[in-house]
Amino acid sequence: MSDRVEVRKTYKLFIGGAFPRSESGRTFPVTGADGRLLAHVAQASRKDARDAVRAARGAQAGWAGRTAYNRAQIIYRVAEVLEGRAAQLRAELEAVGVTEAAARDDVEGAIDAAVYWAGFADKLDQLVGGVNPVSGPYLNLSNPVPLGVCALACPDDGGVRGVLGLVLPALAAGNAAVAVAGGPAALVTSTLGEVVATSDVPGGVVNLLTGDHAQLLPWLADHEDVDLIDLSGAPADMVEGLEERAAANLKRTPRTGGREDIATATAFCEIRTVWHPARI
């Protein structure tokens, strides 16, 4: 029998493709259903949120500039890496009290969602864009354009799918994401940083913050370099206040809930229409 001491992991944030500790130095413990300490997870601060938004803004134009087909390939790579990490993610969910069947369904659902959004990425233009009929010698063209930087309030009890259900449609539409998760989802959110880091996703396109929604979401709602904040996982008693703060800087506040449909995809983009003379 080995007498070595087990190395307990302290999970970091995932910002700009790197794994920094919180600038505050704070962590919080994640414990199992039996109260056993599982790991320490970084508790993001306001400055961490600001750094994440800066990283996302710096990476977004390059991500949006890639072909939709290439974005689809990279999101599909996320599904591939998730498949290889499935056992670890299921074990982490079960460790925090999720039943074996629910953990399996959650991880498999997240992998299926990654395949779904990979397939959607290069179909969005055809589905919501097009040539509009007009009276006159003009072409009237509509096409979707990404919003920019999307802040995502992931549900604390949402598991892997709760995080990726918000991150992946934002990426498919060409946005960069800053996702916040805490509570039981903190452990798998930290592991998802390692999944994204090995999935060809450019640094800064996905940024994952673990911590307290009550501390981080108000700053993200106020931040003028954030173009959308999805409040799907925001605490119910905070939603009205967050919507008011976001309205002050004209930020969208959808609650997509991670649904896999065209309405979710269009929530992360806007439709731009241009007119052009038909005979030039």
Side-chain angles (χ1 to χ4, degrees), residues 128-136 138-143 271-275:
V128 302
V131 180
N132 308 308
V134 293
S135 177
Y138 301 98
L139 290 175
N140 184 272
L141 309 170
S142 294
N143 66 296
I271 305 301
R272 182 168 297 169
T273 299
V274 297
W275 292 74

Side-chain angles (χ1 to χ4, degrees), residues 26-50:
R26 294 183 300 171
T27 64
F28 61 95
V30 177
T31 57
D34 58 358
R36 180 172 57 92
L37 176 66
L38 300 174
H40 287 278
V41 175
Q43 183 164 351
S45 67
R46 176 185 178 185
K47 182 178 185 304
D48 296 320
R50 191 167 63 233

Side-chain angles (χ1 to χ4, degrees), residues 53-149:
V53 172
R54 184 181 297 116
R57 178 58 65 191
Q60 191 272 328
W63 178 247
R66 291 179 180 241
T67 65
Y69 180 66
N70 184 233
R71 292 200 299 271
Q73 289 176 310
I74 292 173
I75 295 173
Y76 190 82
R77 174 65 180 155
V78 173
E80 292 176 338
V81 178
L82 273 175
E83 190 79 57
R85 292 271 196 147
Q88 179 187 356
L89 291 164
R90 285 197 304 269
E92 289 176 348
L93 288 170
E94 291 174 28
V96 296
V98 179
T99 65
E100 181 180 351
R104 183 181 61 251
D105 290 347
D106 179 68
V107 174
E108 291 179 354
I111 296 169
D112 292 347
V115 174
Y116 177 89
W117 289 113
F120 212 103
D122 60 353
K123 314 296 188 303
L124 187 58
D125 276 20
Q126 294 92 326
L127 289 170
V128 302
V131 180
N132 308 308
V134 293
S135 177
Y138 301 98
L139 290 175
N140 184 272
L141 309 170
S142 294
N143 66 296
V145 294
L147 292 173
V149 175

Side-chain angles (χ1 to χ4, degrees), residues 168-259:
L168 294 177
L171 264 59
N175 301 285
V178 177
V180 179
L187 201 57
V188 292
T189 301
S190 298
T191 299
L192 286 176
E194 298 172 2
V195 170
V196 172
T198 53
S199 299
D200 301 332
V201 179
V205 172
V206 175
N207 304 274
L208 301 174
L209 303 177
T210 48
D212 187 352
H213 279 135
Q215 293 182 13
L216 297 175
L217 294 183
W219 296 114
L220 291 170
D222 289 341
H223 202 304
E224 296 196 356
D225 210 20
V226 173
D227 301 293
L228 170 150
I229 181 166
D230 189 320
L231 300 175
S232 298
D237 60 352
M238 291 184 64
V239 169
E240 184 175 350
L242 290 169
E243 288 177 336
E244 289 177 357
R245 297 175 82 131
N249 52 70
L250 305 179
K251 194 189 288 15
R252 289 190 186 183
T253 56
R255 279 175 274 179
T256 64
R259 292 179 295 277

